[in-house]
Amino acid sequence: MPSRYDILFQPIQIGPVTAPNRFYQVPHCNGFGWRMPKGMAAMRGMKAEGGWGVVCTEETEIHYTSDLSPFFEGRIWSDDDIPAWQVMTEAVHRSAHGALAGIELTYNSHDASNLYSRASAFGPRSMGITGGSGYEPGQTRAATKDDLKQVRKWHRNAAIRAKKAGFDIIYCYAAHNMTLAFHLLSKHNDRSDEYGGSLENRTRFFRELIEDTKEAVGDTCAVAVRFAVDELLGADGMQFDGEAHDIVAMLAELPDLWDVNVSSWKNDSTTSRFEKEGNQEKYISFVKKLTTKPVVGVGRYTSPDSMASAIERGIMDMIGAARPSIADPFLPNKIKEGRYEDIRECIGCNICVTGDTRFVPIRCTQNPTMGEEFRRGWHPEIIAPKKSDDEILIVGAGPAGLEAARALGQRGYHVILTDAKREAGGRVALESSLPNLSEWRRVMDWRLAQIQKIPNIYFYPSSPMTAKDILEAGAPHVILATGATWRRDGVGRYLSHPVKGNAKIFTPDDLMNANLPSGKVLIYDDDHYYMGGVLAELLAQNGCNVTLITPAPTISYWTQFTLEQDRILKRLHKLNVTLLENHFIASHTPTTATVTNVISSAESTLACDAIVMVTDRIPNDALYHELKPALADGQLKSLRIIGDAEAPNIIAQAIFSGHLAAREFDEVIDPDRTPFKVER
Ligand code: ADP
Ligand code: SF4
């Protein structure tokens, strides 16, 4: 390791504890939460094993009146919750380098829906509940001074429980526009008692929480704060060069550590489509000038140079990371060992976030083992050695084929990987050339770099394979990863029959292969993730007059779960894209399309020169059906179809599918048994 990275491995004192290095996994949600503590603990433990110096929990409810259902976050409501947390702290403490475990205690305000507990949440004032769906019916009650005293007591008790559970760092949380502490600091506070009015008064509750926590557990535990220094709302919100500056100045030396970011979560976890590495530096850099305590910041740092530079330039003392630690739990160890090209860099897609927002265990596009540590026993760096000397032919080098080849190669198998195209990567090669998706290339670049290092994998590009070619190649095992093709006829989630008409029709495949329409273009999005919106961007940039139409109630519906929808809409508005929700295309002519409102059935006619259908995809599974007889007659020992060729889905699923095929190879899989442990 070059000495310029030494700084990343210097221990650092945080109050009464010492972090072994500067790699700090900041609190992040994961969809396991209190519901699946073993899954959560194994995931956290893996990061400690991979070298992270500090590993934190997600936001953790201190009391049932701050119940974050329907989301699954942490809970430390009573002593009964301690054993579950001990599983995590023990997993983190097992690391050889002395990783610390941190817990983010939270008392949420109107962000707690209390759908499960049916309690009234406390707010700075009686205000509409946003937690859960974002628009929950019901309001909080305005906390009285006695209520605030009660919350302080609950927080203190939770801190004592956290200490008992083995945590080294205990948070007071005022970030993400979510907690009572934050709302008392900010515009939502219109109180006339000593908790409202002047900044000093509005800071009182947060100060008390920090003081209480220090007094209760500060002898052996560090007390950290998480504070959002800007809400990106201009003068309507907290601003880093306004009140946030004054708050940090007032509390500067009180906590043992400052973990600072921007709010809300949508602004904190921006995707690579909208922000690049280190994007929060301009907001947080003032903090270190006001305190001598260690400062942690985030900004999706994956490059050791950027990390070392952020510390050297005095922006932060420790590199905070959620996503880079999800994409590569072994990032710190890889830097230490000088294995930079082995780092699986986060691509900034926020599929990990959808674990939380869709209430399922966390998934990651780059790291197929994320979330599978406990239930499938998967390790991101270790895989079982081969069980036979059989050769495997993989057709298709998209994400599924690349990952299957890489992981089977890692197991030691002799793998032949072919692709019809000159360039590997399949859909990733194509999609990463769309506007602002260039970081997605990391999915193929990392796999290709790994494949190059494994001598038993042979890659043949420019090699289209027929069923005959495949059988003549003589490999006893065939894995088909031949992808899928976008439909042209409009059939999708909404329409089950082709749209009638004779307009010029294009598909995403056409556009990605540089066959672009011009003039007035109507994009029909029945896919609902990024593709429709990204193509609208592409065409608008190319001078087309674009209308994006969807049968869904909102544009790019599913991107709300990756926290991108607002930014997508803002960008499309800026590009003058006309947006039309709740409509499907009923028919078309070379110059018009008739669209129907899905609710009222009202029809209207739009002028257009071309239509882009972003609907279902057709799996490229012809080879599979052609080869099946060869399996039946024993010419092939095994035949498997993976990725989009099996069932079109997101890139993360293609990677997972390829990885699963590699793990399951030479194993006997009983279809009648759940192939993973279920936490009950
Ligand atoms: P996935 O997402 O499942 O990995 P992709 O569509 O990204 O699927 O990748 C499929 C890859 O398979 C493409 O690169 C394509 O060129 C390749 N491919 C499809 N059919 C054949 C074939 N018959 N012979 C060789 N390569 C093929
Ligand atoms: Fe990064 Fe995407 Fe993985 Fe999240 S899912 S860690 S954003 S690569």
Side-chain angles (χ1 to χ4, degrees), residues 38-200:
K38 290 182 191 159
M40 193 275 294
M43 178 269 289
R44 303 289 190 203
M46 194 61 79
K47 299 192 196 192
E49 187 185 328
W52 293 85
V54 177
V55 178
C56 297
T57 65
E58 59 275 47
E59 57 176 339
T60 298
E61 307 160 358
I62 60 169
H63 194 257
Y64 76 89
T65 55
S66 176
D67 145 37
L68 299 172
S69 59
F71 300 98
F72 295 99
E73 313 297 340
R75 267 183 190 170
I76 192 155
W77 291 2
S78 76
D79 286 358
D80 296 340
D81 293 312
I82 293 175
W85 287 117
Q86 277 166 334
V87 183
M88 174 191 154
T89 57
E90 280 162 17
V92 170
H93 290 152
R94 259 196 298 276
S95 71
H97 65 294
L100 303 176
I103 182 166
E104 186 181 54
L105 300 182
T106 180
Y107 192 87
N108 285 27
S109 175
H110 61 95
D111 196 61
S113 62
N114 286 330
L115 289 169
Y116 169 68
S117 68
R118 304 188 71 173
S120 301
F122 295 149
R125 58 181 170 84
S126 182
M127 53 200 291
I129 293 170
T130 53
S133 64
Y135 305 99
E136 294 290 320
Q139 292 185 206
T140 59
R141 65 184 266 197
T144 62
K145 276 200 287 183
D146 281 344
D147 291 334
L148 293 180
K149 225 183 257 168
Q150 214 25 282
V151 176
R152 283 174 59 190
K153 194 167 128 208
W154 294 333
H155 196 276
R156 186 190 156 88
N157 289 344
I160 292 167
R161 278 181 221 122
K163 179 180 167 176
K164 276 194 201 147
F167 285 101
D168 310 287
I169 300 175
I170 297 179
Y171 269 78
C172 299
Y173 180 34
H176 290 129
N177 191 16
M178 283 175 183
T179 71
L180 181 58
F182 192 69
H183 293 306
L184 282 164
L185 287 170
S186 72
K187 64 179 176 196
H188 294 302
N189 183 346
D190 64 356
R191 304 172 69 93
S192 54
D193 60 11
E194 65 259 43
Y195 291 97
S198 68
L199 185 61
E200 196 183 345

Side-chain angles (χ1 to χ4, degrees), residues 376-392:
R376 290 183 199 263
W378 286 1
H379 189 287
E381 304 301 313
I382 302 169
I383 192 164
K386 66 176 181 176
K387 287 189 167 174
S388 69
D389 290 326
D390 283 357
E391 196 174 278
I392 305 153

Side-chain angles (χ1 to χ4, degrees), residues 270-272 300 322-328 344-354 362-367 370 440 443 652:
T270 43
T271 57
S272 59
R300 219 164 47 75
R323 291 172 293 175
S325 75
I326 293 166
D328 200 337
R344 242 184 342 264
E345 288 183 286
C346 166
I347 69 166
C349 62
N350 277 6
I351 287 300
C352 49
V353 168
T354 69
I362 189 167
R363 309 174 283 174
C364 171
T365 301
Q366 274 284 55
N367 175 9
M370 177 47 51
W440 291 20
V443 170

Side-chain angles (χ1 to χ4, degrees), residues 395-401 418-421 425-427 463-465 481-484 623 643-644 654:
V395 182
T418 72
D419 200 287
K421 296 203 178 136
R427 63 182 288 192
S463 307
M465 304 286 280
T482 43
L623 280 178
D644 293 322

